[in-house]
Each structure stands twice: as structure tokens, then as C-alpha cells.
Amino acid sequence: MSDTPSFEPPAMTLQNALDAAGSAVGLLWRPGIPPIDVPVVPAEVTGWEEEQRAWTEGVALLDLSHHMTDLFIDGPDAVKLLSRVSANNYETFAVGQAKQFITVTEDGWLMQDAILARTGPESFLLTGIGTTHTWVVYHAVTGGDHVTFDWDFSSDIRGNDTPRLFRYQVQGPRAQAMLEPLFGDALDDIKFFHFKTVTLDGREFWALRHGMAGQAGYEFIGAWQHAEFVRTALTNAGESHGLVEVGGKAYYTSGVDSGWLACPVPGIYTSEAEAGFRNFTSAFSYEGFVPLQGSYYSPNIEDYYVNPYEIGYGRSIHLGHDFIGRDALARRRDDVRRAKVTLVWNKEDVDRVFGSDRDVVRSYTRDRVEVDGRLVGISEYAASSATEGTIHSIARIDLAHAEPGSEVTLLWGQHPGSSDPDFDQFESVRATVAPSPYTEYARTGYRETTAS
């Protein structure tokens, strides 16, 4: 493989699909599409409620080996490339450190985020949905950077082949006590979002200090040939601590209370500056298939775009270097009109709309948030909370209504699309604004050492 990537255009590009659909909203509006499932991992092991409670009350084991795409990046121009295409700071980014990788468009809209780990002086591992991965490769190709790439797609794309890496999370207040007999004090000096090599019975892999839904824990990552051994070691160690294995249903609810907006609409569909990328990426990609649906509808795709500062990404943004979208992003820092919040849905209304004996609710619909019948924001990611018996969602709300304790109304239902709906036909759910992340520890504890 050459150290200067080449490009073979996909048979059907995103731009081809946009041209055929007539608009971005025309392409992406897909009411009624169910949320995606975690491939390979069972939906439930002992039941989603017990599994969800495990990471807040006990200790949970999560198999994250299958639903994300890994991109291995190597070469003398790797740092230069990553610095050019992302808003992150690389001056102090050391080997053994990870960070939230933030990419934006030339107009300063959020492209997508992912997790970037520095595995060597010129080596990086990028993990996430995939739009950022394609963005990095596109700019390496067009910029002539001396780097190499190795893709390992998620298991729903990979098919019968095994992943290159296993990735297991152990989370919850009992995690430390469970892991100590396996690793002794080897994990004690790992800072949040840092990792190092650890050993079990001669098998080496990484231990990444991590957390989800406000709970402390670790992510263990290594060669797939050791996957079964490591999993067995973890489950055996967890027997005396009440370890609960988590299925896909519960796992995909964790992002709401962590405050992570899982499926933002990338701001790539309208600007001429991103025309090259639209002709580079496949129509059969996240950016070609991210579904728009719910009670909120706009024919203008830019109404769905996300200002990174409005969802709390300012802590990961470093404006002190030149990167794609820097000047526009600096302007967006001074034009924050909404804030990311948690909406705690009224339990009586939830029982009325969804039933008191409901299964887990998980939704990526875009739903209207109103005050006195006036649109004040969009709810974008909703999930059941087993501990509170209701639903929480992440929403972007006008600043005037974003104070914790504010009362709003969410409309639940499917907008018909181009026609004007009778909003009285939608279900109304009262909701109370709360901070995001929802849990105090997630807001103030494990994020304190997050670096840009």
C-alpha cells in the first residue's frame, strides 16, 4: 500500500443521491424507520432494566467490539493531517492518550465526532460511526499526505469476518473492586481518557480509563485472538461482584444521561466547499442514510445542523491552530443561541403515551419542543430510564428556556413531511429541563481531565 492514499470513486456518491432526491431532506426524510441495533451482541441478556441499572448501581460488562468502525492511521504526515482536519490540539497529545475528535465543515457546522487514540509517535486509531473516518481519508487523498490507512468496518458491514480488535467495557461503582484481583494496582495510575498496555497470563492489550452515564470504569482493547480469553477472565472475576452483561438495548440508552448526541446531522449537504467530499463519500454511508423523522420537520437541511459550542464541545476545541472551518467556528462561538439540555419527561404523560408496561423506549427522532405552542428547540435522542421509570432525552433548547427546572412540552408523533400538520393531533408530553450530562459526576468528575 502506497503512503500516499489513492481514490477510487464509489459507484453511487452522496452527491448522486442528493441530485436524484432533489434535496437533502428529500433524501434523508424517512419516517417510521426503527432505531438501529447493535450487531452480533444480543439485544438483552438478563433484561434491559437490570442491565441498565448495573452500570449505575453495580458493575456491568459491555461488548463494544462490533458496532463501530476503526480506522488505523500511520505515517510521517499523520499529525499534520489530523491537525488540518480537526479542531483538536495536538501539541500535548501524547502516545497513550485518547480524545474526542471534533471535525467541522468550512462553515463551522459540526461534521461528526469520534474517539482518537494515539498509539505511537506516527500512529493513531480513530473509532466511531464513520463520517469522520471518510473525512480524514478524503483530505489525505486531496492533500497528498504521506499516510497509510487500514479500515476495520463494523460487523454489520464486515459480515462473517471477525473484528481486528476486541473492545470490552467494565463500568459501575463496583468496577474497581472487581478488577483489582485481575490487575492489582496496574490500573491505578491511568488518567481519564489515557491508556496503557496491561497483561493477563502473558496476553497484552490496552486498558483505557473511560466512563459512561457518569460511572467510572475501563475499556479493554486488544487483538481479537485474545478476545475470548479476556472476556472469560472478566466474567469469572465478576461472579462475586454481581457482574451483569449488557445487551444492545440497554447499551444504546447510555448516551442520553452521558450527554452525548449520538447521531447529529453532519453539516455537509449545502455548501459548495463540501462538494468534493460529497463526490468522494458513498451514498451508502452514514451521511447518506442518517434518517430524519419525528414531529419536527423543516425542508431546509441547515435547520438540522449543529453548532458545536451549543452542545458543549467547546472544551475539546482549540482555535490556536489553522484547520478546516476554524474562522467560521470562531464566529459560531460568539453566536450561541441554544444549549444542550436533558429533558425529563413527565411520568404520567409517558405512561399515557407509551403504556405503563412498556418495553425500553429508544429513539433518534427529531421532535418539537414548545413553550405555549411556540417552537423553542429540538429533542434529538430519547431513551428509557429504568432508575426513574420515565424517559430522558437530549435536546437543544433556546437559551431563554434552557435553565434547569424550566417546563416545556414535547410533541410526539410523525410529521407528514411536506404538508402542514395539525399539531393538535400529536401527543403532548410535559418535560422538565435538567442539565446535560444528567448525572453530576458525568458533568464534574470523570470529564475534568478531558483534553482538547
Side-chain angles (χ1 to χ4, degrees):
M1 180 166 48
S2 168
D3 66 352
T4 301
S6 59
F7 168 56
E8 218 174 283
M12 182 73 167
T13 69
L14 175 60
Q15 188 61 59
N16 296 151
L18 289 168
D19 292 342
S23 70
V25 174
L27 174 67
L28 301 176
W29 185 257
R30 297 189 180 100
I33 295 292
I36 59 172
D37 295 320
V38 179
V40 180
V41 176
E44 294 179 277
V45 181
T46 58
W48 75 267
E49 291 176 293
E50 180 184 354
E51 294 163 22
Q52 194 185 70
R53 289 191 180 99
W55 66 66
T56 58
E57 300 173 5
V59 60
L61 173 64
L62 304 97
D63 184 352
L64 311 184
S65 309
H66 297 282
H67 72 286
M68 294 181 287
T69 290
D70 285 331
L71 179 66
F72 299 84
I73 307 167
D74 292 277
D77 287 345
V79 174
K80 182 181 74 171
L81 167 65
L82 294 169
S83 181
R84 187 171 81 249
V85 303
S86 73
N88 301 93
N89 180 12
Y90 294 89
E91 294 175 358
T92 59
F93 189 35
V95 175
Q97 187 175 355
K99 64 173 65 190
Q100 187 178 28
F101 184 70
I102 307 294
T103 55
V104 300
T105 67
E106 286 282 10
D107 291 333
W109 297 116
L110 180 67
M111 165 78 69
Q112 201 177 78
D113 68 332
I115 300 301
L116 181 70
R118 189 166 195 169
T119 58
E122 297 179 347
S123 301
F124 298 83
L125 172 60
L126 186 63
T127 303
I129 293 174
T131 303
T132 56
H133 305 48
T134 309
W135 180 251
V136 170
V137 174
Y138 166 69
H139 284 287
V141 170
T142 56
D145 295 284
H146 295 286
V147 291
T148 60
F149 298 108
D150 189 4
W151 289 84
D152 188 26
F153 294 99
S154 57
S155 290
D156 53 340
I157 298 173
R158 187 189 305 110
N160 294 327
D161 293 337
T162 58
R164 179 168 167 178
L165 299 175
F166 69 80
R167 185 176 276 105
Y168 300 131
Q169 271 192 14
V170 177
Q171 301 287 339
R174 297 182 198 161
Q176 201 75 35
M178 173 194 145
L179 295 171
E180 187 173 354
L182 286 177
F183 298 100
D185 61 1
L187 306 180
D188 293 352
D189 62 345
I190 305 176
K191 298 178 181 179
F192 178 70
F193 249 41
H194 288 68
F195 62 95
K196 74 175 186 180
T197 300
V198 295
T199 303
L200 278 182
D201 195 26
R203 296 165 173 86
E204 291 188 344
F205 50 94
W206 293 320
L208 168 69
R209 187 78 167 83
H210 200 7
M212 57 176 274
Q215 298 301 323
Y218 297 87
E219 197 167 288
F220 300 102
I221 307 164
W224 184 256
Q225 66 191 60
H226 303 316
E228 190 57 37
F229 173 85
V230 173
R231 185 187 186 103
T232 300
L234 293 173
T235 54
N236 288 344
E239 285 181 359
S240 60
H241 296 274
L243 178 71
V244 174
E245 294 192 50
V246 175
K249 277 187 179 181
Y251 170 68
Y252 269 164
T253 69
S254 65
V256 172
D257 285 351
S258 292
W260 179 57
L261 196 61
C263 297
V265 175
I268 61 171
Y269 301 98
T270 47
S271 173
E272 193 59 33
E274 273 71 53
F277 179 74
R278 294 194 297 270
N279 281 296
F280 181 91
T281 191
S282 170
F284 305 102
S285 59
Y286 170 86
E287 49 272 24
F289 270 87
V290 54
L292 297 180
Q293 57 174 313
S295 65
Y296 175 79
Y297 173 84
S298 171
N300 181 5
I301 191 65
E302 293 187 3
D303 289 338
Y304 295 90
Y305 289 176
V306 177
N307 179 342
Y309 286 101
E310 293 183 345
I311 59 173
Y313 283 3
R315 67 177 184 275
S316 296
I317 292 172
H318 178 255
L319 294 174
H321 73 289
D322 190 26
F323 61 90
I324 295 167
R326 181 203 175 280
D327 293 343
L329 188 59
R331 291 191 293 271
R332 298 214 178 275
R333 179 186 56 181
D334 300 323
D335 189 31
V336 173
R337 304 178 185 184
R338 287 180 169 174
K340 181 183 69 175
V341 302
T342 303
L343 297 184
V344 180
W345 298 17
N346 179 275
K347 188 178 183 305
E348 291 181 1
D349 290 354
V350 168
D351 289 347
R352 171 177 52 81
V353 174
F354 298 95
S356 58
D357 59 347
R358 59 189 171 273
D359 193 5
V360 63
V361 174
R362 175 173 59 87
S363 171
Y364 301 108
T365 55
R366 271 74 178 179
D367 297 307
R368 289 179 63 92
V369 180
E370 298 183 342
V371 171
D372 298 328
R374 180 172 55 86
L375 179 72
V376 299
I378 307 172
S379 175
E380 303 198 39
Y381 179 12
S384 295
S385 170
T387 56
E388 298 194 19
T390 186
I391 295 173
H392 295 169
S393 66
I394 298 176
R396 291 182 289 140
I397 301 292
D398 293 350
L399 294 178
H401 302 281
E403 280 296 312
S406 300
E407 299 293 330
V408 297
T409 299
L410 180 141
L411 296 191
W412 181 259
Q414 288 288 358
H415 195 289
S418 58
S419 62
D420 293 326
D422 178 2
F423 287 121
D424 290 338
Q425 300 302 309
F426 288 76
E427 297 282 4
S428 294
V429 179
R430 292 168 290 173
T432 302
V433 173
S436 179
Y438 183 67
T439 57
E440 182 178 2
Y441 182 62
R443 294 194 303 273
T444 62
Y446 72 74
R447 293 176 182 267
E448 285 180 352
T449 58
T450 301
S452 60

